[in-house]
Amino acid sequence: MRRALALTAILAALLGTAPAQEEAPGLLLEQRVFEIGRKLRCPVCTSESVADSAAELAVQMRARIQTQLEQGRDEAEILAYFQERYGDWILQDPPKRGPHLLVWLLPAGAALLGLASLVVFVRRWRRAAEVPVEVDEADLERVRAALDRG
Amino acid sequence: MTRLLLVVGVASALGGLFLFGLLRGRPDRDIPSNLIGRQAPEFTLPLHSSYRSSYGETFSLGANAGRPMIINFWASWCAPCYQEAPELATAWRERGTEVLFVGIQTQDRGRHAEGLEFINRFGLGFPNVIDDASLVSIDYGLFGVPETFFVNAAGVVTYRHIGPVSSAVLEAQIGALIR
Amino acid sequence: MLDISLGQLGSGSTLLALAAALYGAVAGVVGALRRDARLQTSARLAAVATFLGATAAIVLMELALLSDDFSVSYVASQSRIDSPLWVKIVTLWAALEGSVLLWAWLLTLYGALLAVAAPLNVLRPWALAVMQLVQVFFLGVVATAANPFTVLPLPPADGPGPNPLLQNHWMMAVHPLLLYLGFVGLTVPFAYAMAALITRRPGSEWMTQTRRWTLTGWGFLSAGIVAGGWWSYEVLGWGGYWAWDPVENVSFLPWLTATAFIHSVQVQERRRMLKAWNILLITLTFALSILGTFLIRSGIVSSVHAFGDGPVGPIFLAFFIVVMLASFGLIALRWDQIRDRAELDAVVSREGSILVGNVLFLAMAFAILLGTLFPLIVEAISGEKVTVGAPFFDQVSRPLWLLILLLMGIGPLLPWRRADSQRLSSNLAWLLGGGIAAGLLALLAGLRGLYPLLTVALAGYNLVSLGLLLLGVVLPRARISKRSVVAVFRSYAFENRRRFGSMVVHFGVTVIAVAVMASSAYRVDEQLRLEFGAEVPFQGYELRAVDRFMEESPQGVSAGVEIVVERAGRTLTELRPRLNLFGQNPQLIPTPAVLYRPQHDLYLSIAGRLDPEAEFVVIRAVQSPLITWIWVGGLIVILGTSYALSPGGRQLRERQRQGAVRA
């Protein structure tokens, strides 16, 4: 067990210092374009992202993203550029503010609530397992009657 | 009893939500424009060849500042654009002196000939420009074609119409623009 | 006599089936209440009659499609004379009306099977009645609001043909059918659960009765989802298979709850606990499948796959509400009888791991449902329009998947009741060792990032787990019986089909997990401009556009590019991505071309238009590592499920024993 833990620590250390993969700059830029495109919704499509759509506007939005990356803008600035023109709707992720935070918090809340209620139930069930089953005469009578019937 | 109430509560909440959805109709329609109440984005675009003699090589928003304006986005492949074009042509003939009309062919890269055909078919007298890279589309936050923007004399967008525009809408919005 | 049209015959058959279902439901309920065997028998006969009526309707619709009878409204709106045979056949489920008819028919098929083959007991009449009530709804929709058989007084000479996206690939023939078989299959355990509540026998009877139905339904649903992913990959042109589109999500929700269900029923089988929970799960699964059909057919969520907004939206909504009220209401009324007096000896046990797994599956289902409905909720409350797209679902589901993989490895190794701590820590050491070894190997191989490394580590951990599971049963037996390990393994796998099948399924899931991670985290997208004749490098390949081609078929026109794919000077293949126009439909449908390879796929699709005069063509090239293994993993899951279902080994002998007793 201890050895396993040590190995995990080494792994974690390696993760922190891992060098980034080397790739051709052109390709890297293109990957960034698609990456950002995935975070934007194609305005003229039904439920497709800018990265996924083949619509002319989506293709030109990708070109727009590329130009802005080449101008040295970062992802947040590019997303803000589109958000300013199209509103929150254009962002694939709902904005992380105000009531929209609920969509981010509720799933985590639900998972935690589920686990918490599991803990409550488990406690109850474990207590039940420790107590021997108590049966009174009436219950036994009912079971006997049921057995006779069926 | 509380459990039954819980079931009824959840069912009616979901029912209400979906009923709202059904009444609202299709999603992704009429997404409010982010431009209302803001300055209309500037653009300078090349004119279609038939307008160059009277308007020059390019048309820019800034050069025409101070006048109320109607900006109509269209494409040669878009069926509803053919539906609205006659209405726009008529409105321009009647109110073209009070309001500046400009058409932008967009999301239609490279199809200038088809664009000219569209213009000649409806005898569009107001200037029409070419937005080959759909840049102005993006600046105006377009969800599709046709869309029509109404800009007042101060250069502020007052209204945006999605889909084919009717003479009634044009009349009402022009009235609001020049008031 | 020949004046009767196919449309009239079809409407007539539907009405007959509807009447039979209605009669069967009433006779079944009255017969069950009065314990009248004759009425119960007549309800069963009615189920068979309903099936025959619905089958007639299906056959008539196929006849109308194949004979291009455009006086039938569905044929007129969905079919085309020039479509190939297979397209005409599958046009049955290419649009709303037909898909509801297919759903109804599968329901009647399962109902008839239930009536004929299910063993007689107190539950059967009620279960059958519940099935028949569901049939009444679907057949009622087919007979009224979505009647595909409406006779057109002035039939057109030809129709527009089905949705072009659906004509594009043969997967379309399979995917909806599998999905519906899954949804409808899961109606059977639901019907039995309801029967158990009605008859106040909420024990384990309903569950053991429907074990095979449940697993069959789950298997079909899994197959349908994987097939849908493959169809998207082959057709949609962006090199992905799952876009977290609302319609994809709602088909996935019942799968999640059904997966939780097939695990937690084992706890009830072994430990007689979770009675209420299992009834809740299967009811939820059924309710979610109805919710899905409603959302797909109402057009209230924005989706590529929606059937559009027909008149049936409100009807399906009403049915969904009725289902919610009736089923959960019944559970609420019977709650005092179904609540558990459960006992749990230790959390670290098989049942404990399944419980935690259940929480994770449900949390995932909740998150996906919330994300799917969130834009609607926000709009209803504040009128704002927001989007909840793929990045949200990726971020929310990834940690849950990793936790599920973690449980999937350790859970099956834990014994029921209580784990022996010495055995547990030795198992854990092996598992962690396997996980860390796999993680380190991945790191050496150049993988970076927390999510890819964790996935690979968990895959290694799961492989070790499967190895330990097998060795744990095979080695001791081999030692005792002095037979060879292979022989013991074969007899174990043969005898314990359910157990071995589940290991195969878990192996398939591990394969899918790695493939999903690799294909999404290491995918390379590039938009390439190919000059004709020139070689363009892409990820170690040389792509050379040779020529344009144009093909005309009765179905439509396709134009595309021939692209020679070379690697290290050797020609691998020629790919022909194309754009299609089907019939009169103006929508351009791209068909990508894929070079399937075990290490990665090369996926080419034409971006935008194909200019006949230009010197070049713009294509989108995607390289997705290991993506083929998603389909392979899916196949393994299906094989494992089928194996678990196949009669043999213990079950076969039990049945023979029962036969002997009966004789």
Side-chain angles (χ1 to χ4, degrees):
Chain A
M1 272 307 276
R2 195 173 292 166
R3 209 179 313 156
L5 283 177
L7 274 174
T8 324
I10 295 172
L11 190 72
L14 276 172
L15 275 175
T17 57
Q21 255 179 314
E22 288 167 44
E23 274 185 83
L27 189 62
L28 209 60
L29 180 73
E30 189 121 13
Q31 293 317 298
R32 293 281 300 141
V33 171
F34 280 106
E35 216 171 278
I36 295 173
R38 272 187 202 104
K39 297 185 176 164
L40 292 168
R41 187 163 174 180
C42 162
V44 295
C45 322
T46 31
S47 145
E48 267 186 305
S49 77
V50 166
D52 296 341
S53 172
E56 189 173 335
L57 188 60
V59 173
Q60 283 166 336
M61 282 171 84
R62 291 205 290 268
R64 192 83 208 116
I65 297 170
Q66 180 152 356
T67 331
Q68 300 205 359
L69 281 172
E70 281 160 359
Q71 287 165 356
R73 295 220 201 172
D74 66 13
E75 182 180 308
E77 286 169 331
I78 297 174
L79 292 181
Y81 166 87
F82 285 103
Q83 191 186 3
E84 194 197 331
R85 283 153 179 79
Y86 280 96
D88 294 336
W89 182 91
I90 194 92
L91 300 176
Q92 288 273 44
D93 269 352
K96 287 179 184 163
R97 60 173 157 76
H100 306 301
L101 278 173
L102 275 181
V103 78
W104 295 97
L105 296 179
L106 281 180
L112 291 180
L113 187 75
L115 290 175
S117 41
L118 192 61
V119 169
V120 172
F121 277 111
V122 162
R123 284 221 178 129
R124 194 184 294 167
W125 293 336
R126 290 196 57 179
R127 238 177 288 130
E130 282 155 16
V131 183
V133 184
E134 284 176 40
V135 186
D136 56 20
E137 201 48 42
D139 283 337
L140 275 177
E141 200 49 51
R142 238 188 20 231
V143 173
R144 274 188 210 116
L147 280 173
D148 289 343
R149 235 190 292 131
Chain B
M1 208 54 217
T2 24
R3 287 185 198 101
L4 210 54
L5 280 178
L6 184 74
V7 172
V8 173
V10 171
S12 32
L14 282 174
L17 180 68
F18 296 138
L19 199 62
F20 164 77
L22 285 175
L23 293 176
R24 172 203 57 171
R26 278 180 48 201
D28 307 329
R29 270 291 187 76
D30 306 324
I31 299 154
S33 168
N34 231 23
L35 286 182
I36 306 296
R38 290 166 51 181
Q39 283 290 319
E42 167 65 17
F43 63 84
T44 305
L45 288 171
L47 277 151
H48 265 291
S49 54
S50 54
Y51 302 103
R52 290 198 188 141
S53 54
S54 33
Y55 293 90
E57 286 294 305
T58 62
F59 179 94
S60 87
L61 185 85
N64 292 282
R67 290 181 65 187
M69 202 182 287
I70 293 177
I71 305 171
N72 173 253
F73 289 89
W74 57 272
S76 65
W77 47 263
C78 137
C81 301
Y82 287 79
Q83 187 187 326
E84 67 168 5
E87 313 257 325
L88 279 165
T90 316
W92 176 74
R93 250 174 263 127
E94 288 166 6
R95 314 294 295 262
T97 48
E98 300 157 85
V99 180
L100 188 64
F101 282 63
V102 59
I104 302 183
Q105 185 189 2
T106 192
Q107 296 173 37
D108 210 4
R109 181 188 273 281
R111 276 182 283 204
H112 302 177
E114 288 90 336
L116 264 181
E117 207 174 292
F118 178 89
I119 290 164
N120 293 335
R121 179 165 174 176
F122 299 106
L124 300 179
F126 53 88
N128 274 277
V129 296
I130 308 162
D131 178 27
D132 246 353
S134 302
L135 271 181
V136 181
S137 257
I138 298 172
D139 276 340
Y140 277 77
L142 236 62
F143 289 96
V145 270
E147 278 189 30
T148 310
F149 288 78
F150 297 83
V151 182
N152 67 16
V156 173
V157 179
T158 57
Y159 184 74
R160 187 258 339 238
H161 185 87
I162 292 186
V165 66
S166 66
S167 53
V169 171
L170 284 168
E171 201 51 45
Q173 291 303 322
I174 291 172
L177 276 184
I178 56 181
R179 193 167 355 101
Chain C
M1 187 194 135
L2 284 170
D3 280 354
I4 303 174
S5 70
L6 284 177
Q8 287 164 327
L9 280 174
S11 293
S13 319
T14 317
L15 284 175
L16 276 180
L18 176 62
L22 206 55
Y23 168 77
V26 174
V29 169
V30 175
L33 282 175
R34 291 205 197 139
R35 294 170 196 264
D36 182 333
R38 278 176 57 194
L39 270 180
Q40 290 180 19
T41 310
S42 90
R44 288 168 61 206
L45 289 175
V48 177
T50 314
F51 169 62
L52 293 178
T55 308
I58 289 274
V59 169
L60 286 165
M61 181 48 79
E62 287 294 2
L63 275 179
L65 285 166
L66 292 177
S67 64
D68 303 312
D69 185 341
F70 292 108
S71 69
V72 175
S73 60
Y74 188 75
V75 182
S77 64
Q78 299 300 333
S79 195
R80 241 179 93 221
I81 293 176
D82 288 336
S83 291
L85 183 70
W86 74 269
V87 170
K88 284 186 183 171
I89 294 173
V90 307
T91 297
L92 174 65
W93 53 88
L96 192 145
E97 291 88 353
S99 75
V100 180
L101 175 62
L102 178 69
W103 192 301
W105 178 66
L106 291 174
L107 265 174
T108 65
L109 168 68
Y110 281 30
L113 280 175
L114 207 63
V116 172
L120 172 64
N121 57 27
V122 196
L123 297 179
R124 193 185 63 187
W126 285 106
L128 194 59
V130 173
M131 285 291 281
Q132 282 167 325
L133 284 172
V134 181
Q135 289 172 6
V136 166
F137 169 75
F138 277 93
L139 288 168
V141 172
V142 174
T144 56
N147 187 352
F149 291 106
T150 310
V151 179
L152 300 180
L154 295 168
D158 198 354
N163 181 340
L165 272 177
L166 309 181
Q167 299 183 46
N168 209 4
H169 201 270
W170 61 271
M171 270 320 250
M172 194 51 217
V174 191
H175 154 67
L177 202 59
L178 291 172
L179 217 51
Y180 291 2
L181 277 167
F183 287 138
V184 176
L186 289 171
T187 311
V188 177
F190 164 75
Y192 266 88
M194 290 298 109
L197 289 175
I198 296 167
T199 56
R200 296 170 195 270
R201 286 167 155 263
S204 294
E205 210 180 343
W206 68 271
M207 206 187 65
T208 41
Q209 290 270 316
T210 54
R211 201 158 55 197
R212 298 173 68 79
W213 289 99
T214 310
L215 204 51
T216 313
W218 182 86
F220 276 124
L221 195 52
S222 312
I225 291 172
V226 174
W230 197 5
W231 172 77
S232 296
Y233 183 64
E234 285 260 327
V235 166
L236 292 186
W238 53 280
Y241 46 85
W242 190 266
W244 293 106
D245 178 281
V247 166
E248 295 169 7
N249 294 349
V250 291
S251 74
F252 191 47
L253 293 174
W255 183 88
L256 286 170
T257 52
T259 310
F261 177 72
I262 57 177
H263 286 93
S264 76
V265 286
Q266 297 171 34
V267 179
Q268 189 174 346
E269 274 174 29
R270 282 300 187 111
R271 302 295 321 272
R272 308 274 160 234
M273 55 193 275
L274 302 186
K275 258 189 306 194
W277 179 243
N278 284 325
I279 291 181
L280 274 173
L281 272 182
I282 194 65
T283 308
L284 192 60
T285 304
F286 179 71
L288 285 172
S289 70
I290 299 298
L291 175 68
T293 64
F294 159 65
L295 287 178
I296 293 169
R297 289 171 179 79
S298 68
I300 69 171
V301 286
S302 167
S303 166
V304 187
H305 313 285
F307 275 123
D309 37 0
V312 297
I315 302 174
F316 271 93
L317 176 57
F319 183 59
F320 171 67
I321 298 298
V322 169
V323 165
M324 288 276 292
L325 289 176
S327 57
F328 287 107
L330 190 58
I331 294 177
L333 285 177
R334 294 282 195 268
W335 189 255
D336 292 324
Q337 287 152 44
I338 56 177
R339 65 194 305 173
D340 289 312
R341 191 196 169 280
E343 294 177 5
L344 189 71
D345 299 294
V347 190
V348 186
S349 59
R350 181 79 59 78
E351 52 268 43
S353 71
I354 289 177
L355 282 171
V356 179
N358 262 323
V359 170
L360 295 177
F361 277 117
L362 276 233
M364 177 122 64
F366 172 77
I368 294 175
L369 181 64
L370 179 72
T372 308
L373 296 182
F374 195 70
L376 190 63
I377 298 173
V378 169
E379 198 182 336
I381 292 172
S382 71
E384 283 176 85
K385 305 250 188 186
V386 293
T387 303
V388 180
F392 167 83
F393 294 104
D394 281 340
Q395 287 168 65
V396 170
S397 63
R398 243 172 227 170
L400 291 171
W401 279 125
L402 292 177
L403 287 173
I404 286 170
L405 283 178
L406 191 71
L407 279 175
M408 192 176 91
I410 187 73
L413 281 169
L414 296 172
W416 294 98
R417 286 186 167 263
R418 191 188 293 275
D420 150 24
S421 66
Q422 203 182 343
R423 179 96 176 270
L424 176 67
S425 51
S426 115
N427 275 342
L428 265 183
W430 276 106
L431 289 178
L432 282 180
I436 291 169
L440 281 176
L441 275 178
L443 198 64
L444 287 178
L447 265 68
R448 294 294 178 268
L450 192 61
Y451 164 62
L453 284 172
L454 274 179
T455 310
V456 175
L458 282 170
Y461 157 103
N462 268 295
L463 291 184
V464 171
S465 157
L466 290 170
L468 287 174
L469 273 176
L470 277 176
L471 290 180
V473 287
V474 171
L475 283 186
R477 289 182 199 196
R479 211 175 301 137
I480 293 167
S481 65
K482 305 222 162 48
R483 286 190 296 157
S484 80
V485 172
V486 177
V488 173
F489 167 74
R490 279 176 53 187
S491 71
Y492 171 78
F494 185 77
E495 296 277 324
N496 301 276
R497 300 205 165 205
R498 246 179 104 191
R499 189 94 173 104
F500 185 69
S502 79
M503 294 183 202
V504 176
V505 170
H506 282 182
F507 176 66
V509 172
T510 310
V511 171
I512 294 178
V514 174
V516 166
M517 179 281 294
S519 64
S520 58
Y522 291 93
R523 158 192 173 124
V524 176
D525 267 292
E526 204 172 1
Q527 200 159 290
L528 299 173
R529 189 185 141 109
L530 303 185
E531 310 259 350
F532 284 99
E535 294 208 328
V536 175
F538 174 71
Q539 293 293 301
Y541 292 95
E542 297 288 333
L543 306 178
R544 183 159 45 87
V546 183
D547 202 3
R548 291 185 191 83
F549 66 87
M550 184 94 154
E551 276 168 15
E552 258 180 275
S553 67
Q555 207 180 349
V557 190
S558 3
V561 198
E562 287 170 18
I563 297 170
V564 173
V565 180
E566 291 175 3
R567 195 176 181 100
R570 205 163 54 86
T571 303
L572 290 178
T573 185
E574 190 186 274
L575 290 177
R576 293 157 67 89
R578 60 180 73 199
L579 299 168
N580 304 306
L581 278 175
F582 292 105
Q584 301 304 310
N585 199 311
Q587 204 185 347
L588 258 187
I589 305 297
T591 303
V594 190
L595 170 63
Y596 286 94
R597 305 186 83 195
Q599 65 274 39
H600 57 237
D601 283 6
L602 176 65
Y603 186 102
L604 304 180
S605 71
I606 297 175
R609 292 199 304 263
L610 190 62
D611 196 334
E613 268 121 58
E615 301 284 296
F616 62 89
V617 55
V618 179
I619 60 156
R620 172 155 186 187
V622 182
Q623 184 197 42
S624 317
L626 302 185
I627 196 165
T628 305
W629 294 93
I630 296 178
W631 327 128
V632 176
L635 196 65
I636 295 174
V637 168
I638 308 310
L639 288 177
T641 314
S642 319
Y643 188 75
L645 280 166
S646 62
R650 210 173 268 170
Q651 289 163 348
L652 205 62
R653 253 181 294 131
E654 250 165 47
R655 205 171 297 164
Q656 280 161 355
R657 205 185 317 136
Q658 279 167 3
V661 170
R662 218 172 285 156

